[in-house]
Amino acid sequence: MNESLVTMVRGIIAFVSLLIFARVLGKQQIAELTFFEYVLGITIGSIASTMTVDLSIKIFPQFVGLLTWVGAVLVTQWITIRWRNQSKLINGEPTIVVMEGKIMEDAMRKLRYRLSDLTEQLRIEGVFNLDEVQYAVLEASGQLSVLKKPQNMPVTLQDLQLIGKNRGMDVELIYGGVIIEQNLKQTGVTREWLIERLSAEGFRDPSEIFIATIDTNRKLYIDGYQDKLVSKVDVDDEKEESDA
C-alpha cells in the first residue's frame, strides 16, 4: 500500500481516537490544567502523532500505548476526585503568596515563584500597585487569584444600595443566516415580527444576518455579515410608538 495512503489512514485513526478519548476525559480549560495534566496531554498527543507518521512501528502497539496513557489519566482523575490528600499530592494545592498586603517570601521560595512572576500576573489582573493587594493566591493551575483591599475595590450597586435590572441571557433568534424556530417560540416572538424588524433595520432577508439575539429586557441585537450593518434596537419601541 502507498505510504501516503497508509499515513492518511493512520492519521484518521489517531484523530478519531483522540477525539473519543478527549470526550471521555471531560472538559477543562487549558488555563485550569495543572502542570501534571499539561504534561499528560502533551504525551498523549505525541503518541498520536507518532502513530500517524512512524510507519516503521505497527499501529496496534501504538494504539495500546495511547489507550494505556488515557486509562492512566482516567485513574488519576478518579483518585483526585475521591481523595483530597491524593489530589493535593498529584495536582498540588493553592498557596497564599500575599497575605494582609505582605508578600510571603518563604512560600514563594518553596514554589520557585519569582517576584517578577508575581508582578506580571498582578498586572494581568489589572493590579499595578502591590499596595492594592489584600490577598493573592497562586492556584494549582499556576493562575493568580487576587483580592484587593476594600478601598481599592470598584464600587458596586450593592454598595450604593441600588438594585440593578436583571439583563439575563441572550437567546439566539438567527444564527448563520438561519432562523431558529424553537427559540422564537421560547421568547414569544413570531417569525413575521422578526422579519419586519429586520426590514426596519435595512435587512431584506435573514440570510444577511450573522447573528440576532434577544434578551429578557426585550433588546434585540442584530449583526449582519457586513460589519457596518450592526444595530441594537428596543423591541418595545414599535409598541410604544403605536400606543402614542
Side-chain angles (χ1 to χ4, degrees):
M1 186 181 294
N2 185 276
E3 286 189 356
S4 298
L5 183 59
V6 173
T7 302
M8 183 182 300
V9 172
R10 291 172 68 137
I12 293 173
I13 294 174
F15 175 80
V16 173
S17 299
L18 274 182
L19 180 61
I20 295 173
F21 292 153
R23 297 292 294 178
V24 170
L25 292 176
K27 297 181 179 180
Q28 193 172 18
Q29 296 181 8
I30 295 299
E32 296 176 350
L33 294 178
T34 64
F35 179 74
F36 180 64
E37 292 167 336
Y38 179 68
V39 171
L40 286 177
I42 291 177
T43 303
I44 292 174
S46 177
I47 294 173
S49 63
T50 302
M51 181 191 302
T52 302
V53 299
D54 192 351
L55 305 183
S56 64
I57 304 176
K58 293 182 178 179
I59 191 172
F60 183 72
Q62 292 179 330
F63 183 80
V64 171
L66 180 62
L67 186 60
T68 301
W69 273 89
V70 172
V73 174
L74 284 173
V75 171
T76 302
Q77 289 180 341
W78 180 76
I79 291 174
T80 55
I81 292 173
R82 189 173 180 84
W83 293 291
R84 184 174 184 274
N85 289 336
Q86 279 69 24
S87 175
K88 290 164 58 178
L89 180 64
I90 294 173
N91 293 330
E93 59 181 333
T95 303
I96 298 176
V97 291
V98 178
M99 180 184 294
E100 297 292 346
K102 303 297 182 182
I103 298 176
M104 302 288 100
E105 294 86 355
D106 291 340
M108 292 180 58
R109 191 178 301 111
K110 290 179 181 178
L111 295 172
R112 293 186 290 279
Y113 189 65
R114 300 170 299 182
L115 180 60
S116 58
D117 297 327
L118 174 63
T119 54
E120 177 183 350
Q121 291 196 281
L122 284 174
R123 288 194 297 272
I124 293 174
E125 295 296 322
V127 180
F128 290 82
N129 192 333
L130 285 169
D131 189 49
E132 297 179 13
V133 181
Q134 184 82 6
Y135 283 92
V137 180
L138 186 64
E139 307 292 353
S141 63
Q143 284 191 311
L144 190 70
S145 300
V146 181
L147 176 66
K148 293 183 179 180
K149 294 178 180 178
Q151 63 269 29
N152 297 115
M153 296 182 69
V155 177
T156 64
L157 291 176
Q158 185 176 2
D159 295 330
L160 300 176
Q161 297 182 346
L162 298 176
I163 299 176
K165 193 175 182 180
N166 183 20
R167 185 176 184 271
M169 292 182 61
D170 289 351
V171 177
E172 296 172 352
L173 300 181
I174 300 177
Y175 183 87
V178 178
I179 296 177
I180 306 175
E181 300 291 345
Q182 181 179 353
N183 290 353
L184 289 180
K185 295 178 181 178
Q186 176 184 337
T187 55
V189 173
T190 64
R191 185 186 182 94
E192 293 73 20
W193 177 88
L194 180 59
I195 296 296
E196 183 180 343
R197 296 302 298 177
L198 293 178
S199 177
E201 294 300 315
F203 297 98
R204 294 174 296 178
D205 192 84
S207 61
E208 300 177 9
I209 309 300
F210 176 63
I211 189 169
T213 64
I214 190 171
D215 65 18
T216 54
N217 289 333
R218 310 292 289 174
K219 289 290 184 179
L220 183 67
Y221 174 83
I222 304 172
D223 184 3
Y225 277 104
Q226 298 183 25
D227 289 339
K228 64 180 181 179
L229 299 179
V230 179
S231 64
K232 186 151 188 167
V233 296
D234 193 336
V235 175
D236 293 327
D237 284 348
E238 185 177 355
K239 181 179 179 180
E240 292 176 359
E241 291 176 2
S242 61
D243 292 342

